[in-house]
Amino acid sequence: MNEYVAIDTLKFLLYNVHQVEELLTKERFADYDKTSLDIFLDSIKTFSDTALFPFIKDMDEKPSYFKDGKINVHPQFENIIKTAGELGIVGAIFDYDDGGMQLPSTVFQAAHFIMSAANNHVPGYFGLTSGSANLILSFGSRDLKEAYVPNMLDLTWGGTMCLTEPQAGSSLSDVVTAATPTDQDYYQIKGQKIFISAGDHQFSSNFVHLVLARIKGAPAGIKGVSLFVVPKNRSTENGEFTYNDAAIVGEFEKMGQKGYCTTHIVFGDNDDCRGWLVGEANKGLSYMFQMMNEARISTGLMGASIASAAYYSSLKYANERPQGRKLNSSGQKDATEEQTLIINHPDIKRLLFSQKAIVEGSLSLILQSSIYLDREMTSSSEEEKEKYNLLLEILTPIVKTYPAEKGIESISNAVQILGGYGFCSDFMPQQYYRDIRIIALYEGTTGIQSLDLLGRKITMKNGKALELLAIEIQETIKKASNFDELQPFANTLLENLGLAQKVIGVLMPHAMKGNYERFLADATVFMDFFGTIVIGWQWLKMATVAKQTLEDKNGNQPELFYESKIHTMKFFYTYEMTRTKGLAKTMMNTEELTISVSKDIF
Amino acid sequence: MNEYVAIDTLKFLLYNVHQVEELLTKERFADYDKTSLDIFLDSIKTFSDTALFPFIKDMDEKPSYFKDGKINVHPQFENIIKTAGELGIVGAIFDYDDGGMQLPSTVFQAAHFIMSAANNHVPGYFGLTSGSANLILSFGSRDLKEAYVPNMLDLTWGGTMCLTEPQAGSSLSDVVTAATPTDQDYYQIKGQKIFISAGDHQFSSNFVHLVLARIKGAPAGIKGVSLFVVPKNRSTENGEFTYNDAAIVGEFEKMGQKGYCTTHIVFGDNDDCRGWLVGEANKGLSYMFQMMNEARISTGLMGASIASAAYYSSLKYANERPQGRKLNSSGQKDATEEQTLIINHPDIKRLLFSQKAIVEGSLSLILQSSIYLDREMTSSSEEEKEKYNLLLEILTPIVKTYPAEKGIESISNAVQILGGYGFCSDFMPQQYYRDIRIIALYEGTTGIQSLDLLGRKITMKNGKALELLAIEIQETIKKASNFDELQPFANTLLENLGLAQKVIGVLMPHAMKGNYERFLADATVFMDFFGTIVIGWQWLKMATVAKQTLEDKNGNQPELFYESKIHTMKFFYTYEMTRTKGLAKTMMNTEELTISVSKDIF
């Protein structure tokens, strides 16, 4: 019995559905073959089984805490940081030249999924260090790279992203942290940042903060925001380190992910905080956004992985707990019979299939997007590069949001399977239910992602991204249509593609007329609608590969494994795809209910 | 600004929509008029403002705990128990002859809603004492009434309901707690019960447990279950009290409602636990079920009240927090403008309307059901009694479930409005998000309620309950149709009534053919579907009264108050009623996806 993740499904998705081996023909990945990828994934699974999963409950019960200016995380992090450093997790996708492993991003995301399902309080520490190192590598000077990246690769130092400020929240154009030029190579930094994930801990000797700040005199709004490297401790001329006036002043106490610290940092309270500009002035936000796709994929992945852990936890319970009896043909139960396992009740099966559909559908989409990312990176032509970039751009807000929002529902179903025990701290689902609630808020809330999807991605380059996505979906429909069993579902997907075009056709004229508020008022409903169709595409793709494998009799799993993919696809189309018409109707309403009224109506 | 409940809406529902004053013409309620009801509700609001709401956060942070065989609840309970005793809350709806206030149940539920919205960790202590006293009053001997009820009325003693056992869970036919007859008037009780809400605390000197147990030799299943009064301390011949071998052995640690204890009780571990039979042997479950409608209404009410508190908490935040700017006609924001309050963003309005629609729709249905309960109780003819009983029976599982399930969604929307702060312990929505998750599990899970709705209530007396409900709904449709503005929504409700008939027409033949598993496989989907239609009925009813009041210009609230009801009705029809067709399609599928497969498919 799987405890938090199904490796067989993960490998089916990687190798069969998304054919990651095709990527290995690219020069960048030439050193890898299926065997070496499997060895890497197996080592991550062993790490997760031994160093991560056994501690997730204890990290919830003994949260990271702030005391005397310091963040203290769970003692197990000492071992975790050391082992993760040895495994090369931070630099897994970096170039060999930068000390990385040059792994395909898709494979790394699969590894990340395993770790995060085992213990979602942990991988953010690796991810933020990796992301901030990547920013320095991509846009920083050679000096900055040499000064910071090597120590980050093995987690001797940690990295963070400092975007949010108390008065601005999601509105990054309102960042006020100030950077004052000096006659040296650095700026004086002054300001405060909140919600800094992985912001500090006792097992890395230094932290490298990537800070958005405004150089004195810069233009208002996002066009005046620059990016700085601001270490917690800076090196001095004699090679020693001195405190750089970057003070942890508190930690946010949260309802979940309690092992993963969220800090409040004050820079330059004593006017002695130095920051080094990354790249050019006033381009900070554009640099950040070039890392955003990966960060958002990782966040969605974290949501899907928590839902995975909850799914397997509730599945285990359903397979062990006897309760109730089957109804006989008079609609009665025979109390003298033995109780049946609850997994035999149709409603429990419904709760399980609903989780399986959300978890595996999300995971498939995550890997799909990662494939596009890898293909973009390794494209030989500009045209191909643009194609994969646009596909990635349009899917990213969905990858971030679908697992976050539907993951809540999925885990609520896991809680429900345990009955009263689901609410009790002795069992895991209640922790996952708390943990996952952050995912729809991190890295751009669902509202922000939805504005991005409808307001930017659907309209970008005259709808080219959407057009490319429609071609990909139609290709899946065509392949599925070769099988009688799948034909009706292929037809449904095609209808839904048409419905999406129709909805966009109704909404776009509002934008054309300059009524953007109206155009975007139901963006979140559009996200739900379009996300459901996209996951429906992934399920049809999975079912088609499963069906083909059954026909070819060349699977390395039992037949029931492939049948279960086809069955879950049918479940998704029967219980989830049926929602799209209602959502379309909502979006095409002419009432303008959320625009036409003043705030006093509440 | 309301902090947890809107009294103006509550009174609009009580007096205008559900016309509670009509009840006061009944002899039972003849001592009351609108003024005295208002005084009662005002006293409850004052109690809630001063003794309940200020302590809800502290009760979460300092949970009730078990130590040395005792449950310790928050110290504020000393004051709460005393004041609630003085206010007569336990006996509010009891007969004068039994020491009660003979209040209409509808008014008492309104009072309960205020208290529970203020602090959902508290009213269960009153409710269980009231419920167990009511069981003794309804079915117990005169001796039992005299021995127990007077001390329960002022909470000197507390009461509990002991149903669940570890091996049986929801399956009450598997209760094994044993009752052995003696040659005295009592039975020897032996067994254990879990999940005993309000099971003990330091501020009541005795507890009266109402325990389901099986008399030696009783038939298997629910037909062999009897009901016993088992006090924690029993009186002796000399009028002293001695411990009755009913040991608290632990408390369930929970993710929410931490101030409300959930205990594990072992009866008769030293073979000295005495229980007194209530009513006749083997009828225990039928007695319990006669109290069940009220218990289930109260549970749904608790869900709606928590969602109310979260709604007002997020509304306050949305009205105070500036962030972001409006889009101009080029779809851009002007960063030099001041930030706007987030309540001015359409997506925030959508999140608020969605909460308002769920909270007020649920509350209206709760009061509707309570009106039926009061009318059943005061009916002069058997025919009328049956009518209101059937209406109550069919609505009860929905009243229990809709606020529980949609309340989770509602509170998740409250969390989302606060952005990152929504996940932080400093703010209330995260607590409400945890608190409400128990509601779908208490008093019969959503799965159990859904089987009850489709399997028993829809089919009972050849569909008579459904027929009566349809008449009530059609009456609302007819009244609404007098107003042009409401006509389209009345039509939608009528269509949905037809759709419900159609779905039932597709499902019923499975039952006729003895295939109950198939008939009930999607009962939970039916609950979602039918519950949405029923809440749609309540919204149309509210909107019709609001519209009539505006036309008659005889409201005691500003016009915007009535307009907001009509507007929220439109929101519900545009964003929620659009879901029913998809759910109908799901239920009418022929795939049998949750029945046809073995448990090994997962």
Side-chain angles (χ1 to χ4, degrees):
Chain A
M1 174 69 64
N2 292 300
E3 286 203 276
Y4 55 87
V5 73
I7 296 292
D8 52 0
T9 290
L10 190 62
K11 290 191 174 173
F12 169 69
L13 288 172
L14 266 184
Y15 297 123
N16 302 95
V17 179
H18 298 296
Q19 308 197 331
V20 81
E21 282 169 280
E22 280 183 8
L23 281 179
L24 306 182
T25 60
K26 302 283 179 179
E27 199 192 326
R28 180 175 178 81
F29 308 127
D31 288 347
Y32 290 99
D33 58 14
K34 183 167 181 300
T35 307
S36 56
L37 296 186
D38 278 344
I39 290 172
F40 173 71
L41 291 172
D42 291 348
S43 69
I44 291 291
K45 180 67 166 47
T46 304
F47 170 57
S48 302
D49 282 343
T50 54
L52 303 182
F53 185 66
F55 298 92
I56 182 167
K57 196 163 167 47
D58 209 47
M59 287 186 187
D60 182 59
E61 288 165 4
K62 303 190 185 83
S64 90
Y65 63 95
F66 172 75
K67 198 179 167 190
D68 301 333
K70 285 183 181 155
I71 298 291
N72 300 276
V73 295
H74 192 280
Q76 168 64 9
F77 271 101
E78 182 164 17
N79 170 23
I80 290 172
I81 295 289
K82 185 169 163 287
T83 313
E86 286 162 9
L87 284 167
I89 289 168
V90 168
I93 61 169
F94 293 177
D95 295 351
Y96 291 140
D97 287 349
D98 294 325
M101 291 165 65
Q102 229 164 279
L103 258 183
S105 181
T106 311
V107 176
F108 182 63
Q109 293 290 12
H112 186 171
F113 186 82
I114 299 171
M115 295 188 285
S116 183
N119 189 333
N120 71 82
H121 301 210
V122 171
Y125 291 102
F126 315 151
L128 279 160
T129 305
S130 181
S132 42
N134 207 354
L135 266 178
I136 298 173
L137 289 172
S138 304
F139 306 108
S141 65
R142 192 170 163 167
D143 281 358
L144 286 179
K145 288 181 204 179
E146 287 175 359
Y148 293 101
V149 175
N151 279 323
M152 297 170 83
L153 284 174
D154 66 358
L155 289 160
T156 305
W157 293 357
T160 79
M161 306 278 206
C162 300
L163 287 75
T164 306
E165 299 180 5
Q167 81 295 343
S170 301
S171 178
L172 293 176
S173 56
D174 292 294
V175 156
V176 296
T177 293
T180 312
T182 66
D183 53 7
Q184 307 286 314
D185 65 341
Y186 59 83
Y187 289 68
Q188 287 285 1
I189 307 292
K190 198 173 177 77
Q192 54 179 312
K193 297 284 180 177
I194 58 169
F195 296 151
I196 307 308
S197 297
D200 204 286
H201 60 72
Q202 70 271 42
F203 300 117
S204 289
S205 61
N206 198 6
F207 277 81
V208 183
H209 304 297
L210 276 285
V211 177
L212 288 183
R214 197 177 287 284
I215 298 174
K216 292 258 155 121
I222 54 171
K223 288 174 187 158
V225 174
S226 304
L227 183 67
F228 295 87
V229 168
V230 185
K232 176 181 170 184
N233 301 305
R234 63 181 188 245
S235 67
T236 57
E237 281 169 16
N238 59 16
E240 302 282 293
F241 282 84
T242 184
Y243 175 58
N244 190 38
D245 195 13
I248 307 291
V249 298
E251 169 158 22
F252 290 88
E253 209 182 298
K254 313 186 300 288
M255 79 161 136
Q257 282 205 338
K258 295 182 180 189
Y260 186 41
C261 70
T262 308
T263 65
H264 183 173
I265 309 185
V266 172
F267 296 100
D269 205 30
N270 302 313
D271 297 323
D272 186 31
C273 180
R274 299 181 185 176
W276 284 263
L277 184 66
V278 178
E280 294 174 41
N282 301 335
K283 292 203 169 169
L285 219 59
S286 73
Y287 299 151
M288 272 296 182
F289 271 91
Q290 288 180 56
M291 294 291 131
M292 211 52 114
N293 284 330
E294 273 166 284
R296 289 181 169 173
I297 293 173
S298 297
T299 307
L301 177 148
M302 191 182 275
S305 73
I306 304 171
S308 170
Y311 168 55
Y312 287 106
S313 170
S314 68
L315 177 59
K316 185 165 187 285
Y317 186 88
N319 265 307
E320 292 170 355
R321 170 76 177 173
Q323 197 181 300
R325 289 162 188 84
K326 286 209 164 200
L327 294 173
N328 63 22
S329 61
S330 328
Q332 304 297 316
K333 291 172 269 186
D334 179 353
T336 61
E337 267 183 19
E338 255 192 54
Q339 299 202 71
T340 185
L341 294 176
I342 61 170
I343 196 169
N344 293 318
H345 298 307
D347 197 50
I348 299 290
K349 284 212 180 80
R350 186 186 60 78
L351 293 167
L352 288 169
F353 273 126
S354 138
Q355 293 181 69
K356 187 175 168 71
I358 291 168
V359 169
E360 296 182 9
S362 297
L363 178 56
S364 185
L365 183 64
I366 289 158
L367 298 176
Q368 178 74 73
S369 308
S370 304
I371 289 278
Y372 292 148
L373 184 76
D374 281 322
R375 290 201 172 275
E376 181 196 356
M377 184 180 238
T378 55
S379 290
S380 44
S381 74
E382 277 310 305
E383 196 192 337
E384 205 183 288
K385 207 176 195 66
E386 190 197 28
K387 171 184 161 184
Y388 290 118
N389 173 264
L390 288 174
L391 284 166
L392 178 62
E393 289 286 343
I394 196 169
L395 289 184
T396 297
I398 303 168
V399 174
K400 159 65 172 64
T401 305
Y402 187 91
E405 294 286 345
K406 295 297 281 191
I408 295 173
E409 186 181 320
S410 183
I411 298 180
S412 189
N413 287 346
V415 168
Q416 198 67 18
I417 287 174
L418 274 76
Y421 292 115
F423 196 64
C424 292
S425 308
D426 282 347
F427 294 83
M428 287 305 295
Q430 56 80 29
Q431 179 180 336
Y432 296 130
Y433 176 77
R434 291 181 286 110
D435 286 344
I436 200 176
R437 191 59 190 82
I438 186 63
I439 308 294
L441 300 164
Y442 271 159
E443 286 292 328
T445 63
T446 295
I448 301 274
Q449 300 296 335
S450 303
L451 293 175
D452 182 48
L453 175 63
L454 183 58
R456 292 183 57 236
K457 302 304 174 58
I458 293 285
T459 58
M460 77 196 293
K461 305 217 170 179
N462 286 317
K464 188 155 180 205
L466 180 62
E467 207 176 285
L468 288 166
L469 180 62
I471 292 169
E472 298 274 296
I473 294 175
Q474 273 153 349
E475 199 177 301
T476 300
I477 291 172
K478 200 174 144 202
K479 283 185 185 159
S481 301
N482 290 328
F483 301 100
D484 287 350
E485 188 182 1
L486 307 185
Q487 181 74 59
F489 306 97
N491 292 346
T492 301
L493 185 57
L494 191 63
E495 274 168 35
N496 271 283
L497 206 52
L499 185 61
Q501 301 284 8
K502 185 176 164 194
V503 167
I504 293 166
V506 168
L507 295 180
M508 279 304 294
H510 297 298
M512 307 289 193
K513 282 182 265 174
N515 191 352
Y516 281 90
E517 192 165 60
R518 172 70 182 85
F519 172 52
L520 296 170
D522 286 326
T524 308
V525 181
F526 184 80
M527 172 65 85
D528 188 4
F529 167 77
F530 199 66
T532 303
I533 296 171
V534 164
I535 297 292
W537 162 47
Q538 288 301 306
W539 268 112
L540 192 64
K541 195 165 185 170
M542 285 187 265
T544 305
V545 172
K547 188 77 192 169
Q548 187 71 56
T549 308
L550 285 172
E551 296 236 326
D552 296 348
K553 297 184 188 298
N554 65 351
N556 55 6
Q557 297 289 332
E559 288 199 354
L560 190 57
F561 175 88
Y562 302 101
E563 284 161 8
S564 100
K565 301 304 174 207
I566 298 167
H567 201 85
T568 311
M569 177 279 289
K570 291 180 184 174
F571 183 90
F572 189 87
Y573 275 74
T574 307
Y575 288 77
E576 289 293 320
M577 286 291 265
T578 41
R579 298 170 57 241
T580 55
K581 280 188 192 164
L583 294 168
K585 198 169 171 197
T586 297
M587 286 185 282
M588 295 189 289
N589 85 79
T590 53
E591 301 272 352
E592 311 208 340
L593 295 166
T594 56
I595 308 172
S596 60
V597 288
S598 92
K599 67 187 179 58
D600 303 318
I601 198 158
F602 295 105
Chain B
M1 174 71 60
N2 292 301
E3 287 203 278
Y4 56 86
V5 73
I7 297 293
D8 52 0
T9 289
L10 189 62
K11 290 192 173 173
F12 168 70
L13 289 171
L14 266 184
Y15 297 123
N16 301 95
V17 178
H18 298 294
Q19 308 197 332
V20 80
E21 282 168 281
E22 278 183 8
L23 282 178
L24 306 182
T25 60
K26 301 283 180 180
E27 199 191 326
R28 179 176 179 81
F29 308 127
D31 288 346
Y32 290 99
D33 59 13
K34 182 169 181 299
T35 306
S36 55
L37 297 185
D38 278 344
I39 289 172
F40 173 71
L41 291 172
D42 290 347
S43 69
I44 291 292
K45 179 67 167 46
T46 302
F47 170 56
S48 303
D49 283 342
T50 55
L52 304 182
F53 186 66
F55 298 91
I56 181 167
K57 194 161 168 49
D58 208 47
M59 288 185 186
D60 182 59
E61 289 165 4
K62 303 189 185 81
S64 90
Y65 64 94
F66 172 77
K67 199 179 166 189
D68 301 334
K70 285 185 181 154
I71 298 290
N72 300 276
V73 295
H74 192 281
Q76 168 64 8
F77 272 101
E78 182 164 18
N79 171 23
I80 289 171
I81 295 290
K82 185 169 163 287
T83 313
E86 288 162 7
L87 284 168
I89 289 169
V90 168
I93 61 169
F94 294 178
D95 295 352
Y96 292 140
D97 287 350
D98 294 324
M101 291 165 65
Q102 229 164 280
L103 256 184
S105 182
T106 311
V107 176
F108 181 63
Q109 292 291 13
H112 186 170
F113 186 81
I114 298 170
M115 294 187 287
S116 183
N119 189 334
N120 71 83
H121 301 210
V122 171
Y125 291 101
F126 315 151
L128 279 161
T129 305
S130 181
S132 43
N134 206 355
L135 266 178
I136 298 173
L137 289 172
S138 304
F139 307 107
S141 65
R142 191 169 163 169
D143 281 358
L144 285 180
K145 288 182 205 180
E146 286 175 0
Y148 293 100
V149 175
N151 279 323
M152 297 170 83
L153 285 174
D154 66 358
L155 289 159
T156 304
W157 293 359
T160 79
M161 306 278 207
C162 299
L163 287 74
T164 306
E165 298 180 4
Q167 81 295 345
S170 301
S171 179
L172 294 175
S173 57
D174 292 294
V175 156
V176 296
T177 293
T180 312
T182 66
D183 54 7
Q184 307 286 313
D185 64 342
Y186 59 82
Y187 290 69
Q188 287 285 0
I189 307 293
K190 198 173 175 80
Q192 54 179 313
K193 297 284 180 177
I194 58 169
F195 296 150
I196 308 308
S197 297
D200 204 284
H201 60 72
Q202 71 271 40
F203 300 117
S204 289
S205 61
N206 198 7
F207 277 81
V208 183
H209 304 296
L210 276 286
V211 178
L212 288 183
R214 198 176 288 283
I215 298 174
K216 292 259 154 121
I222 55 172
K223 288 174 186 158
V225 174
S226 303
L227 183 66
F228 296 86
V229 168
V230 185
K232 175 180 171 184
N233 301 304
R234 64 181 189 246
S235 67
T236 58
E237 281 169 16
N238 59 16
E240 302 282 291
F241 282 84
T242 183
Y243 175 58
N244 190 39
D245 195 13
I248 307 291
V249 297
E251 169 157 22
F252 291 88
E253 209 181 300
K254 313 186 300 287
M255 79 162 135
Q257 283 206 338
K258 296 182 178 188
Y260 186 42
C261 70
T262 309
T263 65
H264 183 172
I265 309 185
V266 172
F267 297 99
D269 204 32
N270 302 312
D271 298 322
D272 186 29
C273 180
R274 299 181 184 176
W276 285 264
L277 183 66
V278 177
E280 295 175 39
N282 301 335
K283 292 202 169 169
L285 219 60
S286 74
Y287 299 151
M288 270 297 182
F289 271 91
Q290 286 180 58
M291 294 291 132
M292 211 53 114
N293 284 329
E294 273 166 283
R296 290 183 168 172
I297 292 174
S298 296
T299 307
L301 178 147
M302 191 182 276
S305 74
I306 305 172
S308 169
Y311 168 53
Y312 287 106
S313 172
S314 68
L315 177 58
K316 187 166 185 285
Y317 185 87
N319 265 307
E320 291 170 355
R321 170 76 176 175
Q323 196 180 301
R325 290 163 188 84
K326 286 208 162 198
L327 294 173
N328 63 23
S329 61
S330 327
Q332 304 298 317
K333 290 173 268 184
D334 179 353
T336 61
E337 266 182 21
E338 256 191 52
Q339 298 203 69
T340 186
L341 294 175
I342 62 170
I343 196 171
N344 292 319
H345 298 307
D347 197 50
I348 299 290
K349 283 212 180 79
R350 187 186 59 79
L351 293 166
L352 289 169
F353 273 125
S354 138
Q355 293 182 70
K356 187 175 169 71
I358 292 168
V359 170
E360 297 182 7
S362 297
L363 178 57
S364 186
L365 182 65
I366 289 158
L367 297 176
Q368 178 75 72
S369 309
S370 304
I371 288 278
Y372 292 149
L373 184 77
D374 281 322
R375 288 199 173 276
E376 180 196 358
M377 183 180 240
T378 56
S379 289
S380 45
S381 73
E382 276 311 304
E383 195 193 337
E384 205 183 286
K385 209 176 194 66
E386 190 198 28
K387 170 184 161 183
Y388 291 118
N389 173 264
L390 288 174
L391 284 166
L392 178 63
E393 289 285 343
I394 195 169
L395 289 184
T396 297
I398 304 169
V399 174
K400 159 63 173 64
T401 305
Y402 187 90
E405 294 286 345
K406 295 297 281 189
I408 295 173
E409 185 181 319
S410 183
I411 298 181
S412 189
N413 287 346
V415 168
Q416 198 67 18
I417 287 174
L418 274 75
Y421 292 115
F423 196 64
C424 292
S425 307
D426 282 347
F427 294 83
M428 286 304 295
Q430 56 79 29
Q431 180 181 336
Y432 296 130
Y433 176 78
R434 291 181 286 112
D435 287 344
I436 200 175
R437 191 60 190 81
I438 186 64
I439 308 295
L441 300 164
Y442 272 157
E443 286 292 326
T445 63
T446 295
I448 302 274
Q449 300 297 333
S450 302
L451 294 175
D452 182 49
L453 174 63
L454 182 59
R456 292 183 57 235
K457 303 304 174 59
I458 293 286
T459 58
M460 77 195 295
K461 306 216 170 181
N462 286 316
K464 189 158 179 202
L466 180 62
E467 205 176 287
L468 287 167
L469 181 62
I471 293 170
E472 298 274 297
I473 293 175
Q474 273 152 350
E475 199 177 300
T476 300
I477 291 172
K478 198 175 144 203
K479 282 186 186 160
S481 301
N482 290 327
F483 301 100
D484 287 349
E485 188 181 0
L486 307 185
Q487 181 75 59
F489 306 98
N491 292 346
T492 300
L493 185 57
L494 191 64
E495 274 168 36
N496 272 283
L497 207 51
L499 185 61
Q501 302 283 9
K502 187 177 163 192
V503 167
I504 292 166
V506 169
L507 296 179
M508 279 304 294
H510 296 298
M512 308 288 194
K513 282 182 267 175
N515 189 353
Y516 282 89
E517 192 165 60
R518 172 69 181 88
F519 172 50
L520 295 171
D522 286 326
T524 308
V525 180
F526 184 81
M527 171 64 86
D528 188 6
F529 167 77
F530 198 66
T532 303
I533 295 171
V534 164
I535 298 292
W537 162 47
Q538 288 300 307
W539 268 112
L540 192 65
K541 195 166 185 170
M542 286 187 263
T544 306
V545 173
K547 188 76 191 169
Q548 187 71 56
T549 308
L550 284 173
E551 295 237 326
D552 297 346
K553 296 185 187 300
N554 65 352
N556 56 5
Q557 296 289 331
E559 288 199 352
L560 190 58
F561 175 87
Y562 302 102
E563 284 160 9
S564 99
K565 301 303 173 207
I566 298 167
H567 201 85
T568 310
M569 177 279 289
K570 291 180 183 173
F571 183 90
F572 188 86
Y573 275 73
T574 308
Y575 288 78
E576 289 293 319
M577 286 290 264
T578 41
R579 297 170 57 240
T580 55
K581 280 187 191 163
L583 294 168
K585 198 168 171 198
T586 297
M587 286 184 283
M588 294 189 290
N589 85 78
T590 53
E591 301 272 351
E592 311 207 341
L593 296 166
T594 56
I595 308 172
S596 59
V597 288
S598 92
K599 68 185 178 59
D600 304 317
I601 197 158
F602 295 104

